[in-house]
Amino acid sequence: MCLNATMVWTDPERAAFVGRVAQAAGLKIVAAGGPGRSGGSSAQTLGVESVEDLRTALAEGPGDIVLIADAGAFGTTDSSGDGEAVLAAVARGARVVSLDPTPASVFELSSGGWLKNRHGRRAIDGVRFIPGASDHSVFASMGEVLASFGAVRVASIRAFGRREHAGLGAAMFSGLSMLWRALGPIEVIDAALVAREQGERSASSTDRLRDLHGHATAMARTNNGAIGRLLASDAADAWERSVELIGPAGRLVIQETGFRWIDPDGALVDSSERSIDADAGAASLASALIRHLKQPEPKGEEFVEVLNVAQAALLSSRTRHPESPTAIARATLR
């Protein structure tokens, strides 16, 4: 697939960063817009044509790729219009990639029509969150090593960034995707969220993975007794995605700069190192974007599974008790 012309939808404060992501991925930005009335400023920052309406841009263009960096209210309403716009983009051969989880909660999956089959297509299959585990280098390029390492009993995930990279909800979703991939289906999750500064919006006051800023931690358990931990933040000093796994085969540490596999006796089994661009956030997202665009459009089942985990984490942060992703799915996906 040879796609290049790209329309981006972003807040002006992130426009320069999104431009660096597109450049690193070899994409040519031809138009830009943004939530609210910010589209003109984003287009001016990037020096391209201004787009005023995301739904129209999805359905009609311009661009073979629509890169949604700041989704705003898109994917948060009960209307099926957002999902239909994604299907229109797919019908004209465009690829839709979002740096915000879209839709933003399990409540919109059904009410917004994202799971409805329309002529053999579902909107949930037409928009891709980046970087989930399937596209990110800490998992996507580690298939043989992970298969050789085998069973995982403990997993620790770090998903850090600054606000130019993404909000807290996106960092959480990215980390939970990796946790789900490492451990399998999660039985319960116990989470806590805190705003970055006093006076900012409470991270636990919403049901949506949107407009969250600050820090989060979560502990998860599977039905076979494996456990996992997530640390996420959009207020860290730098970008980081890292995974540490412990199992009968020892300890496997995976970072974007390489990996180390150490056996239970402390001996090095295998390792590799690779260089990474100084602009680590842009390089990481560009790599995930390139990897996704080279593959056929995937199905959305993994996204739905992780969204249930994220929804349970948000609920847990309010109830201060462990919550079940399966119970969330039963209550909402009818």
Side-chain angles (χ1 to χ4, degrees), residues 165-176:
H165 298 139
L168 176 61
M172 283 180 61
F173 196 94
S174 177
L176 290 171

Side-chain angles (χ1 to χ4, degrees), residues 65-312:
I65 299 168
V66 179
L67 177 57
I68 304 171
D70 297 275
F74 189 81
T76 67
T77 69
D78 291 341
S79 166
S80 62
D82 293 345
E84 289 170 357
V86 169
L87 286 173
V90 173
R92 69 178 179 87
R95 297 291 284 265
V96 185
V97 182
S98 180
L99 307 187
D100 265 339
T102 303
S105 80
V106 298
F107 304 107
E108 281 83 27
L109 279 172
S110 296
S111 62
W114 292 89
L115 298 175
K116 184 178 179 180
N117 193 309
R118 298 178 178 88
H119 306 292
R121 287 176 170 169
R122 303 182 308 168
I124 194 65
D125 301 324
V127 58
R128 180 71 160 186
F129 171 76
I130 297 289
S134 294
D135 301 304
H136 198 279
S137 59
V138 295
F139 269 106
S141 61
M142 293 291 295
E144 292 184 6
V145 174
L146 289 167
S148 298
F149 185 77
V152 174
R153 302 301 296 158
V154 178
S156 178
I157 314 293
R158 293 162 65 95
F160 293 164
R162 300 191 299 268
R163 285 177 70 157
E164 71 169 352
H165 298 139
L168 176 61
M172 283 180 61
F173 196 94
S174 177
L176 290 171
S177 172
M178 295 175 187
L179 193 64
W180 181 85
R181 178 62 61 87
L183 297 179
I186 292 173
E187 183 180 32
V188 294
I189 188 164
D190 190 352
L193 284 70
V194 61
R196 182 174 64 169
E197 297 176 3
Q198 187 174 0
E200 288 191 328
R201 177 179 179 177
S202 172
S204 60
S205 65
T206 179
D207 287 325
R208 296 188 174 103
L209 292 161
R210 198 69 58 80
D211 299 325
L212 299 177
H213 300 292
H215 321 278
T217 183
M219 293 293 297
R221 186 180 71 243
T222 69
N223 58 12
N224 67 359
I227 57 174
R229 179 187 70 165
L230 168 69
L231 292 175
S233 176
D234 73 337
D237 61 327
W239 172 276
E240 179 184 345
R241 294 292 186 274
S242 62
V243 178
E244 186 168 3
L245 308 176
I246 301 174
R251 182 165 60 97
L252 180 62
V253 180
I254 311 171
Q255 298 173 315
E256 292 181 295
T257 54
F259 75 91
R260 290 180 295 114
W261 175 359
I262 303 157
D263 75 13
D265 296 322
L268 183 65
V269 178
D270 196 4
S271 68
S272 76
E273 292 185 8
R274 54 179 175 265
S275 61
I276 190 167
D277 194 285
D279 192 348
S284 180
L285 289 169
S287 174
L289 180 56
I290 292 168
R291 186 174 285 107
H292 166 61
L293 293 176
K294 288 180 178 178
Q295 303 297 323
E297 196 70 61
K299 298 297 183 183
E301 277 74 16
E302 180 175 319
F303 179 90
V304 174
E305 291 281 352
V306 177
L307 190 60
N308 284 321
V309 177
Q311 200 75 61

